[in-house]
Amino acid sequence: MEHEKKKFGFSFNEMQGELQKSTPSFIVYTIMAFVLMFIAALAVFFFANKGYEQVLVPDVTGKSLTRALLEMQEKELYPKLQLRYSDLPGEAGQVLSQSPSAGSIVKAGRRITLVVSRGVVIDHVENYVGTNLDALKTKLDTLYGGVDTPPITIVEPIFKLDSSPIGTILEQDPAEGTPITQGVELHFVVSKGPSEPLVKVPNFLGNTIAQISEEMGKLNLLFDFQSHAAGADEIAGTVTKQSFEADREVEEFSRITLDIALPALGTLYSGDTVIEKNVRGRDETEVAGMKMDSLANSSHGIFSAEISRYPIAVPVKLDAIPPEGAAYTVASFNHIGGEITVPYSVPHGTVLVLSVVNQEKERFTVQ
């Protein structure tokens, strides 16, 4: 037995010695061993993954989370949930979106991201009494700015005299706590302050369009303009009638109607302030020629637009962008909303732009 051990030991040592004597052979042997181990590992990996079959991702968007989980389980898919607020009532617990999308081919065991609604930010009518109407509008615009049909809308409020600050909500309908299960319209009674300031009406008769545009920026009145073709005894481009007599005191932002005689085709237009600024040093013939040229290239009319109503007066302006030359402001004034009319005399092709609180509301090209 000892003899056999010695014999075996001698043989193994002899082989080891031979390998050590041949260093290149030893390195080759080692590399081949690692290569064989790597190939075996790859074979095991692919064999282990071969069992995961490919499946079709089901469409669970719009379904309840419970139903979505059951359908995912049937396909041996695992959900990864993400929660966020949604825009419409009644969506709480529903799947809003999924990734990968429905119809994608993936391996069983894949994680599918599901975005689930946690409900709307506001699911019931709150108590708005005592809050500012503009602040509430801004809040709702922020929440539902990108929604086609917002769950809450504010209808035209009723304004009344009250000791509360202007714009304060005094009453509301529906009441606090009303569930928002579908579109809700909010009706408000809003304060317009404790009293109506008075404005003394000037005499506008004979004023030109340019003079009226300047007065609009100084007086807290709402101007309604109408026009007619100037008669033989009227000066084109001037005010011929006004609804309130001069020196009368009216409530602030009362509506006053001014009737303007606009030039008929082929007649001179004396209200052209651009011409009036350049008549000095010129004879009557030159002035008449300038007015005829201006008339041929100008359009006269009443710009009209409808804007939202506001609890307080907001800045409004009408700008003109002529085909040639720099843009300029036709009129700048304060207004509480509703119908807005502004007289104009501008070159053909001028673009009139109405802005409210520096935001464009209406655009019109004069032909």
Side-chain angles (χ1 to χ4, degrees):
M1 191 68 175
E2 284 295 327
H3 177 71
E4 291 295 330
K5 287 181 179 180
K6 287 179 181 181
K7 184 178 180 181
F8 177 79
F10 174 79
S11 299
F12 175 80
N13 291 336
E14 185 181 38
M15 181 179 65
Q16 185 177 19
E18 290 295 329
L19 286 173
Q20 291 176 348
K21 288 178 182 179
S22 180
T23 302
S25 300
F26 179 76
I27 294 175
V28 171
Y29 171 78
T30 304
I31 293 174
M32 291 181 62
F34 276 109
V35 170
L36 290 174
M37 292 173 61
F38 179 74
I39 294 174
L42 284 178
V44 171
F45 174 79
F46 286 113
F47 180 79
N49 283 275
K50 188 177 180 180
Y52 290 99
E53 63 181 28
Q54 291 184 328
V55 296
L56 186 71
V57 177
D59 184 7
V60 296
T61 302
K63 298 181 180 180
S64 67
L65 178 59
T66 302
R67 182 61 189 171
L69 294 178
L70 290 174
E71 293 189 20
M72 290 291 171
Q73 184 176 349
E74 292 175 358
K75 298 291 186 177
E76 297 185 7
L77 298 173
Y78 298 94
K80 179 183 178 182
L81 302 182
Q82 294 180 357
L83 302 178
R84 74 167 176 84
Y85 289 107
S86 56
D87 300 322
L88 300 176
E91 288 185 341
Q94 288 185 5
V95 177
L96 302 177
S97 63
Q98 64 182 82
S99 179
S101 59
S104 301
I105 305 297
V106 299
K107 286 187 176 181
R110 169 77 180 271
R111 285 193 177 276
I112 307 299
T113 300
L114 303 180
V115 179
V116 181
S117 169
R118 58 192 305 177
V120 295
V121 179
I122 302 176
D123 59 0
H124 65 278
V125 175
E126 299 178 355
N127 180 20
Y128 304 114
V129 175
T131 61
N132 181 270
L133 178 61
D134 282 344
L136 177 59
K137 286 182 177 179
T138 300
K139 177 182 177 181
L140 295 180
D141 287 344
T142 301
L143 290 175
Y144 307 116
V147 181
D148 294 334
T149 307
I152 300 178
T153 56
I154 299 176
V155 300
E156 189 67 33
I158 299 173
F159 295 93
K160 75 173 186 177
L161 295 176
D162 190 84
S163 59
S164 302
I166 297 175
T168 302
I169 297 174
L170 306 175
E171 303 173 24
Q172 72 175 65
D173 180 51
E176 177 186 8
T178 302
I180 303 176
T181 56
Q182 55 185 357
V184 173
E185 292 185 342
L186 297 177
H187 299 261
F188 293 130
V189 176
V190 180
S191 170
K192 62 177 180 179
S195 62
E196 294 280 9
L198 299 178
V199 178
K200 189 175 182 179
V201 177
N203 182 15
F204 294 111
L205 299 179
N207 284 9
T208 64
I209 290 178
Q211 291 172 327
I212 293 298
S213 297
E214 186 176 353
E215 289 295 318
M216 291 175 67
K218 298 178 181 178
L219 300 172
N220 288 333
L221 292 173
L222 304 181
F223 290 84
D224 291 327
F225 293 96
Q226 58 188 32
S227 64
H228 65 279
D233 58 343
E234 295 177 325
I235 301 176
T238 62
V239 177
T240 58
K241 293 180 183 179
Q242 63 184 70
S243 57
F244 292 135
E245 64 272 15
D247 297 329
R248 176 178 173 178
E249 290 189 335
V250 297
E251 293 181 350
E252 195 173 50
F253 294 109
S254 295
R255 287 190 173 272
I256 179 172
T257 301
L258 302 183
D259 194 356
I260 299 178
L262 293 182
L265 294 176
T267 61
L268 295 180
Y269 176 38
S270 63
D272 193 325
T273 55
V274 177
I275 296 298
E276 291 172 356
K277 290 180 180 179
N278 293 277
V279 296
R280 293 182 181 180
R282 301 177 185 273
D283 58 31
E284 293 183 2
T285 303
E286 290 178 317
V287 172
M290 293 170 62
K291 289 184 176 181
M292 288 299 292
D293 290 340
S294 175
L295 178 64
N297 296 315
S298 297
S299 292
H300 320 284
I302 307 295
F303 177 91
S304 178
E306 187 81 20
I307 66 171
S308 302
R309 292 189 177 272
Y310 296 87
I312 58 176
V314 296
V316 178
K317 67 175 180 176
L318 182 67
D319 292 325
I321 307 174
E324 298 179 358
Y328 59 92
T329 299
V330 175
S332 178
F333 50 93
N334 292 325
H335 209 283
I336 61 173
E339 185 180 12
I340 291 180
T341 54
V342 182
Y344 63 83
S345 175
V346 296
H348 296 312
T350 296
V351 177
L352 297 177
V353 180
L354 182 74
S355 300
V356 180
V357 197
N358 294 323
Q359 293 185 349
E360 182 179 327
K361 295 296 184 180
E362 195 83 18
R363 182 176 286 249
F364 170 73
T365 301
V366 178
Q367 301 300 329

